[in-house]
Amino acid sequence: MTSTLFEQFKLNDTLTLNNRILMAPLTRCMADDNLVPTEAMAAYYARRADSGLIISEATIIRPDAQGYPNTPGLFTQVQIEGWKHVTRAVHNAGGKIFAQLWHVGRVAHPHFFGEGDVLAPSAIGVEGTVPRMRDLSYQTPKAATISEIKQLVADYAQAAKNAMEAGFDGVEIHGANGYLIDQFLHYSSNQRTDEYGETPENMSRFALEVVEAVSDAVGAQRVGLRLSPGAYFNMEPDHRDKAVFDYLLAKLNLRELAFVHVGIFDDNMQFEHLGGRVSDYMRARYNGTLVGVGGFTPKTASQALDDKRFDLVAIGRPFIANPDYVSKVKNQQPLTAYSEEMLAQLV
């Protein structure tokens, strides 16, 4: 039975979702060379508008936030106008859509933005090369100054305002998956000794400042946050990280965000320092609306909701393979299997 998936869900006084299925953010690298969303992207999202909420592909907040080719932006007027076509198409199809706000931090590359520093909490690089551009090796980043951090906070807030101008229903702050905000939250990437490092309070400061600034800009009820307490992508684990997320989640409980979103590729992954699954760790500490994600089938997603492991479930790759995912599940029709070849086109 999957009936739980199709219940309406009231996020807050501002937003009610038609069902409890979210389309997860899926990086597709399909913006044009000016990082402007295309008409093909508008059609792509509109075809998936029967999800309770679409979370857009990660969208960069300023030029030096870019670490992948052709990822859309939200920092120029032409980008805002491009997103208007997307949000209009989704709304005309009866859907709702949040913009995911993104800065990749130390996995950015100057190839995309010209001269300038790659910014991170500390001057600690990662091994490897830029996805889809394997001839570009990652660089050692510069530790952001206090003034640069304050500007980053302001730029997140401006991107949120731009998202609302573009017609989005809200924003999700990308604080997961080894990108900039997540880099401040883990000891392996944050070795600062100032007010943004060393202790759980200090290491949580940047994330909380971004949440506060974005909430002030567009209203907390239109703000979600994605988090990765378990280091697993572009990040090395450290048992001390748990204390940081214990502190951060306690502080988030004092705010009225739309939701907090688990950042994980596979919900069954186990993290010793968290006592098991990330979603269970977060559920035990966060009192608000929690979004689960990570390889769920309709049956396992419905069961997890019934068990109150989280309140909403985000579906990723199956939405690439099945634009009509919600309809198929509701009508008990077979789902098309995802394949890597599907990444090459928007359908």
Side-chain angles (χ1 to χ4, degrees):
M1 295 294 292
T2 58
S3 58
T4 306
L5 294 171
F6 303 103
E7 297 174 348
Q8 277 196 339
F9 187 86
K10 186 175 182 180
L11 272 180
N12 47 49
D13 294 336
T14 303
L15 295 164
T16 297
L17 309 183
N18 289 332
N19 55 64
R20 297 169 75 176
I21 302 170
L22 276 59
M23 178 179 168
L26 295 158
T27 298
R28 301 301 304 276
C29 299
M30 291 290 185
D32 71 16
D33 290 341
N34 293 313
L35 310 187
V36 177
T38 64
E39 289 296 336
M41 289 169 60
Y44 164 81
Y45 283 112
R47 283 192 286 269
R48 293 154 173 84
D50 56 354
S51 58
L53 176 67
I54 294 170
I55 303 175
S56 82
E57 62 204 278
T59 302
I60 61 175
I61 64 168
R62 62 188 221 179
D64 70 350
Q66 188 176 358
Y68 298 74
N70 296 98
T71 51
L74 257 174
F75 55 89
T76 70
Q77 193 60 44
V78 69
Q79 292 164 359
I80 293 170
E81 296 301 320
W83 277 117
K84 286 181 180 179
H85 293 283
V86 176
T87 59
R88 188 180 304 117
V90 170
H91 292 150
N92 287 344
K96 294 182 173 66
I97 183 168
F98 273 31
Q100 191 186 61
L101 306 182
W102 194 30
H103 192 301
V104 304
R106 65 181 181 174
V107 293
H109 200 284
H111 168 83
F112 299 115
F113 54 86
E115 294 183 4
D117 296 310
V118 173
L119 295 180
S122 300
I124 303 170
V126 292
E127 297 294 328
T129 57
V130 174
R132 307 190 189 206
M133 303 185 75
R134 299 300 182 185
D135 56 330
L136 297 178
S137 297
Y138 290 125
Q139 299 187 357
T140 301
K142 171 195 168 187
T145 65
I146 297 296
S147 63
E148 286 170 334
I149 291 172
K150 299 302 183 186
Q151 185 60 55
L152 283 161
V153 172
D155 290 337
Y156 273 101
Q158 184 59 55
K161 293 178 183 177
N162 294 347
M164 301 311 291
E165 180 184 344
F168 284 97
D169 298 288
V171 299
E172 178 181 276
I173 301 165
H174 197 341
N177 303 119
Y179 299 121
L180 180 63
I181 293 174
D182 199 34
Q183 291 160 24
F184 276 87
L185 296 171
H186 294 270
Y187 280 92
S188 68
S189 52
N190 183 348
Q191 296 181 10
R192 302 177 71 96
T193 57
D194 61 7
E195 65 201 80
Y196 289 94
E198 292 191 297
T199 69
E201 179 180 3
N202 287 348
M203 293 170 67
S204 298
R205 191 181 308 279
F206 179 59
L208 290 171
E209 287 179 346
V210 172
V211 167
E212 182 176 6
V214 171
S215 297
D216 287 348
V218 303
Q221 293 192 336
R222 295 188 180 276
V223 178
L225 174 64
R226 197 175 207 210
L227 294 174
S228 293
Y232 68 101
F233 184 66
N234 288 330
M235 188 70 65
E236 294 297 322
D238 189 302
H239 70 277
R240 295 174 294 173
D241 294 344
K242 179 179 179 296
V244 179
F245 285 92
D246 286 350
Y247 177 89
L248 175 60
L249 290 165
K251 288 297 183 182
L252 293 174
N253 279 329
L254 304 177
R255 303 172 183 273
E256 297 183 358
L257 299 179
F259 57 81
V260 169
H261 186 174
V262 179
I264 196 73
F265 293 153
D266 181 352
D267 183 65
N268 291 316
M269 291 178 68
Q270 302 288 312
F271 296 87
E272 183 177 356
H273 71 291
L274 300 178
R277 291 183 295 206
V278 172
S279 54
D280 294 337
Y281 163 80
M282 293 175 70
R283 175 78 294 172
R285 287 158 181 80
Y286 182 64
N287 301 328
T289 297
L290 186 68
V291 179
V293 73
F296 286 97
T297 67
K299 183 177 179 180
T300 60
S302 184
Q303 186 63 58
L305 293 174
D306 288 340
D307 293 343
K308 302 188 185 306
R309 291 189 49 231
F310 35 78
D311 306 289
L312 301 165
V313 60
I315 302 297
R317 289 177 171 179
F319 256 120
I320 294 177
N322 301 272
D324 52 351
Y325 177 88
V326 173
S327 175
K328 280 184 173 178
V329 173
K330 194 170 188 178
N331 294 309
Q332 299 183 10
Q333 296 173 336
L335 295 171
T336 301
Y338 168 84
S339 68
E340 292 294 328
E341 291 74 23
M342 294 175 179
L343 285 175
Q345 56 183 335
L346 289 178
V347 294

